[in-house]
Amino acid sequence: KIKQGFAQIPNQLIYDENIGNEAKVLFCYIKSLSDNYRNLRNSNLCRKLGVSVNTLQKAKKELVDRIVDYEENFVPLARLFS
């Protein structure tokens, strides 16, 4: 079932060649979740995104390391993953 609504994703993130596709998909998925509901367990994220734990951890690290450029517009991802 498709949920209603939308998520705003910065063009800067989309076109950033230093961030891999898995990290971009992870960011989009997190942004699609309600601020009141963010179940970020690795097992759930891996299942929803169809990636391994290693791939998920790499994507998380990429986002936390690079998200400073986009931080003013978005959730502080480092806090979500700690």
Side-chain angles (χ1 to χ4, degrees), residues 53-76:
V53 173
N54 289 338
T55 300
L56 179 65
Q57 296 293 12
K58 180 182 172 196
K60 284 181 180 182
K61 182 171 178 4
E62 280 184 69
L63 287 179
V64 170
D65 290 348
R66 297 280 304 162
I67 206 64
V68 173
D69 297 340
Y70 321 112
E71 187 85 34
E72 65 188 46
N73 298 317
F74 302 101
V75 180

Side-chain angles (χ1 to χ4, degrees), residues 19-37:
I19 297 180
N21 289 335
E22 290 87 1
K24 291 175 184 179
V25 169
L26 175 60
F27 184 89
C28 292
Y29 179 74
I30 291 169
K31 287 301 296 172
S32 76
L33 299 174
S34 164
D35 288 340
N36 297 325
Y37 175 78

Side-chain angles (χ1 to χ4, degrees), residues 33-52:
L33 299 174
S34 164
D35 288 340
N36 297 325
Y37 175 78
R38 289 219 163 103
N39 188 354
L40 297 180
R41 292 189 178 121
N42 283 349
S43 59
N44 289 341
L45 290 171
C46 288
R47 185 174 41 81
K48 290 286 189 183
L49 302 176
V51 298
S52 69

